[in-house]
Amino acid sequence: MELKFQEKINKIDDCPANNESGDKNLYRFILSVPMNSDSFKPHSLIYKPKFDNICIAWGLSTYDSLKSANEALQNLPKKTREKFTAIAVSKITDEDGIKYSTKNKKHYTFFPKKEVNLLTKFVLVNQDGE
């Protein structure tokens, strides 16, 4: 399975560390509506080279529920929180890439496969979770 940014990921030992199998709905903060590719850039590209050698910085930060995503969004500093305009959701399968729960069990890092089109994979949700 080739992941997006595979050449960078290969330079980090034990990256990604593990994979949770099975389908999982994952939620992500979105920068603009309509969505564009900027909403799916990993921290390693946004803050380069600061996070080049940090494994999870090459994956996408996601959450296990709309409630968890909203709570995390509210905990961000105000200036950071104001950058985001919506939340999107996707049913992530084993065929889409690698997903694993971080220390905060509500947060997942998702490493998408190279060929996955994230703009069509994720859809906007309203605040009722639909």
Side-chain angles (χ1 to χ4, degrees), residues 10-29:
N10 286 345
K11 295 177 182 177
I12 303 169
D13 290 341
D14 298 320
C15 182
N18 54 21
N19 183 28
E20 185 174 302
S21 58
D23 297 354
K24 185 88 179 161
N25 285 336
L26 293 176
Y27 296 78
R28 179 158 174 86
F29 310 147

Side-chain angles (χ1 to χ4, degrees), residues 23-112:
D23 297 354
K24 185 88 179 161
N25 285 336
L26 293 176
Y27 296 78
R28 179 158 174 86
F29 310 147
I30 300 300
L31 293 168
S32 65
V33 176
M35 289 186 288
N36 63 39
S37 60
D38 288 343
S39 290
F40 299 100
K41 283 185 181 175
H43 278 102
S44 53
L45 291 184
I46 297 169
Y47 302 109
K48 60 183 173 182
K50 184 178 179 181
F51 295 124
D52 276 359
N53 297 318
I54 299 173
C55 182
I56 62 171
W58 289 103
L60 299 176
S61 185
T62 59
Y63 297 86
D64 69 348
S65 69
L66 182 58
K67 180 182 178 192
S68 297
N70 275 317
E71 288 171 356
L73 186 58
Q74 292 310 308
N75 287 328
L76 292 175
K78 185 178 180 186
K79 276 209 178 282
T80 304
R81 185 174 58 239
E82 290 173 346
K83 293 177 185 178
F84 299 105
T85 59
I87 296 176
V89 64
S90 179
K91 183 177 215 167
I92 303 298
T93 69
D94 294 340
E95 297 300 311
D96 295 323
I98 294 174
K99 59 196 168 301
Y100 67 89
S101 179
T102 57
K103 289 178 185 175
N104 170 354
K105 297 300 181 191
K106 297 177 182 180
H107 179 271
Y108 280 74
T109 301
F110 170 52
F111 294 85

